[in-house]
Structure formats: structure tokens, C-alpha cells
Amino acid sequence: MFAYIVRRLLHTVPVVIVGSFATFLMVSAAGDPLGDLKAKQPPVSPAVLAAETHRLRLDEPLHLRYWHWLSGIVRGDWGPSVSRIDIGHEIGQRVLVSVRLVAFAMIVAVLLALVVGLVSAVRRYSVIDYGFTFLGFLMLSMPAFWLAILLKQQAIDVNDAVGVSLFYTVGDSSIPAPTGFADTVRDVLGHLVLPTIVLAMTAFAPWSRYVRSSIIEVLQSDYVRLARAKGLGRRTVLVRHALRTALIPLTTVVGLDLAVLFSGAVVTETVFQWRGMGSFLLTAVRERDVYAVMGWLLVVSLIVILFNLIADLLYAVLDPRIRLA
């Protein structure tokens, strides 16, 4: 198992390098980072433009700029920013906010997908199955930003109606921050409710369909029929045999959709005005800050690669027939 982990990590190195270089090319070609500075009135002096060009390494060839960025990451230097921020420090503060949201949304979405998919498979072609199918397609067709806006507006209306802030609609924490561990945890969880619902509802819909189809296929397999013939109870067959095997496709889909969750978190954080990776990315794109965008993409890609490695390792836990030699 350890050798397999090492091989997988070594295989991801060229993937990260090639992917980051391709992204660096596209981001660099997206626009001039000094465009806003050049458009200022009165015009800035040529000396200032030359100094900024040198500071942002725009006077270097593209391959040298990429090499300086890549080698700087190893030393903890994330590159110069257009807005003169410390990119590494800023990402370090914001990444935990976004990871917290994505992790909670993923847990809720997986639990919902398991329950809905299992009930739909057991009661297929029933009113419950059709109802869950309609709900799934409704969530699939509803954009995340639209659901977030609707949910936020409804929460504001409820708060106004009762005269008490039952739901937090702005920010990832209160200002000023509460004192004490229990109050801090309660405040963080309270701000997580609405954004987590948005991300979880948009993610669980396709996952529940995968669970439903997988369980239906497993229930028709020979070893499940044998388990029933041996006299095992219906619940035991579903949980210990059918559901465990059906979790393998779900694990694959969740690992692949982690990047989609992060993209949805960008929109959700913007609607609820969170100070996470979403607002950081949007600001970097608006300012055409190449190194800030690259830092965001690098962190998210590493998280996705790590989670997919964990998903591969879970295969052996879910199915004893799989051996990672």
C-alpha cells in the first residue's frame, strides 16, 4: 500500500507541472496586468511603468517567468502580485474558509445521495421514486447562484418577520468575532448553514442517481441472490452487501466532482460575501493578477489530487476483491 501511494504521488508530479504550465500560458494571454495602470489619468510616468514591468517579471520570456514562479513556490515565494499582497499568506488565510465549506457540503451531499439513492432503488417506480427523481432533476437544472440568491432572500425575509437573526446571510463569521470556544463554534456553524445547503443540494442530485442505478444493478447480481437464498435479512443484504459495493461508483464520482464543488463555492461565497478562495480568485481575475490566479489553481489542484488518491485507497476498503499491489 505504501509503495502504491508513493507511485501515485510520483505520477501526479508531471501532471501538475504540465497542467500548471498550460494554465500559466492561458492566464498570461488573458490580458495585460498593467492595463489599469496604463489607462490612468493623468498618465503615470514611464519610469513607474518600467519599474512595475520589472517587478511583475513582464520583461522576461514566458518560460523564464514560469520557471521563476515554479522554483519560487518551492522556496515559499508565490510570485509578485499586481495589488502588492502576499499571495501565500492570503491563500493560507482563505483556503481553510473554503475547505470548511466544501467539506461540510460534501458530507451532507453524500449522506443525502445515499439515503435518496437507496430509497429510490428499493422503492423504484413508486411515488417516492418519482418524487426524488423530480427533485433531482430540479436541482440539476437550477444554477447554484440562483439557488443561493433565493435562499438568501428567503432567510432575510424570515429574519425580518420574526425580528431576530435566525439565519446568517453575510460573511463566514460574525464581526466582531465571539469570544470563547463554544460561541466560536456555534457562530461558524451558523454561518455555514445556508452556503452548505446550496452546495449540497446542487451536488447530491447527480450523486443520488449514481447510487440508485448502482444499487439496482447490485441487487440483480448473483451474490445478492445467494445472500437472500441463505436466509439473510433484507436490511443485512442491503447494507452489508449491496450498499457497500454500490459505494465504489459514488466514491469515483465524488472524487471527480470535487473540482466542481470548488467552482460552485466561488459563486456561493460571492453571494454570501465570504472572505474565502472564491473572492480571492475573482479579485485576481479582475485585476489580471497572473501569480494570484496560479496560486489559487495550484492549491485547488493539489486538494483535488489528494482527494482522488484517498478515493483510490477507499476502493480496497469497500471491495476486498480489489488489491493495490
Side-chain angles (χ1 to χ4, degrees), residues 218-233:
V218 172
L219 289 177
Q220 297 173 350
S221 60
D222 293 336
Y223 75 90
V224 171
R225 294 194 183 100
L226 177 61
R228 290 176 176 174
K230 290 168 60 178
L232 295 179

Side-chain angles (χ1 to χ4, degrees), residues 149-227:
I149 292 173
L150 290 178
L151 196 61
K152 181 177 181 179
Q153 187 59 50
Q154 291 298 319
I156 293 174
D157 293 341
V158 171
N159 291 342
D160 293 340
V162 300
V164 180
S165 296
L166 296 177
F167 299 99
Y168 296 98
T169 58
V170 176
D172 57 284
S173 60
S174 297
I175 300 176
T179 58
F181 178 76
D183 293 336
T184 302
V185 172
R186 192 180 303 111
D187 181 74
V188 169
L189 294 178
H191 284 83
L192 271 171
V193 172
L194 297 182
T196 299
I197 292 176
V198 173
L199 279 183
M201 293 302 291
T202 55
F204 103 94
W207 296 354
S208 64
R209 306 307 296 173
Y210 278 103
V211 174
R212 179 185 182 274
S213 61
S214 299
I215 291 181
I216 290 176
E217 182 180 357
V218 172
L219 289 177
Q220 297 173 350
S221 60
D222 293 336
Y223 75 90
V224 171
R225 294 194 183 100
L226 177 61

Side-chain angles (χ1 to χ4, degrees), residues 219-247:
L219 289 177
Q220 297 173 350
S221 60
D222 293 336
Y223 75 90
V224 171
R225 294 194 183 100
L226 177 61
R228 290 176 176 174
K230 290 168 60 178
L232 295 179
R234 182 180 181 87
R235 179 177 299 179
T236 303
V237 172
L238 282 175
V239 176
R240 297 186 58 184
H241 296 275
L243 182 60
R244 184 173 181 176
T245 305
L247 283 176

